[in-house]
Amino acid sequence: QVQLVESGGGSVQAGGSLRLSCAASGRTLRTYAMGWFRQAPGKEREFVAAINRSGSSTNYADFVNGRFTISRDNGKNTVYLQMTSLKPEDTAVYYCAATSGTYSSDSQRYNYWGQGTQVTVSS
């Protein structure tokens, strides 16, 4: 079992950048493929990005459009989401998640979730 804790959220103006971190404890992170999801008020949780165990393969939602980068440092047991050119519509709670299966955009495939970190982008 793994525990996940997100950090790095905050309030920024449109066009700004943030780097989210997801620190894992309990089991080594290299055991899991990882994903980032987000949920805006009144909306369903949606996929943002995913990365395989080694970090050699990634997948992004269409709306990312080159603005975000997911990465991982298995030695530090941490996954990152670098976000640039932020827009007001990126405002949401961002969650990291771990799966013992293949990395995926399907939230149902993820077994473990963090508590989320709030990202607010003002215009």
Side-chain angles (χ1 to χ4, degrees):
Q1 188 168 349
V2 63
Q3 293 79 44
L4 304 173
V5 178
E6 302 96 335
S7 61
S11 297
V12 305
Q13 290 191 327
S17 300
L18 283 173
R19 188 177 80 156
L20 306 183
S21 299
C22 173
S25 61
R27 286 193 67 179
T28 180
L29 197 61
R30 69 178 72 249
T31 304
Y32 300 96
M34 301 295 294
W36 284 96
F37 294 79
R38 70 184 188 183
Q39 187 167 18
K43 295 187 177 181
E44 293 187 352
R45 188 172 298 186
E46 64 178 347
F47 169 72
V48 178
I51 189 166
N52 69 347
R53 289 174 179 77
S54 68
S56 61
S57 293
T58 58
N59 185 29
Y60 296 93
D62 289 343
F63 66 78
V64 169
N65 200 24
R67 300 182 297 128
F68 299 174
T69 302
I70 187 172
S71 62
R72 64 192 299 160
D73 185 337
N74 287 338
K76 294 183 178 180
N77 254 15
T78 303
V79 175
Y80 305 97
L81 185 68
Q82 177 69 50
M83 304 187 294
T84 63
S85 301
L86 283 162
K87 305 174 182 180
E89 51 264 44
D90 293 318
T91 295
V93 177
Y94 284 71
Y95 299 89
C96 70
T99 175
S100 52
T102 304
Y103 75 109
S104 170
S105 61
D106 183 357
S107 63
Q108 299 295 322
R109 295 183 178 272
Y110 289 81
N111 312 102
Y112 305 101
W113 293 81
Q115 83 291 346
T117 186
Q118 176 71 47
V119 171
T120 303
V121 184
S122 58
S123 57

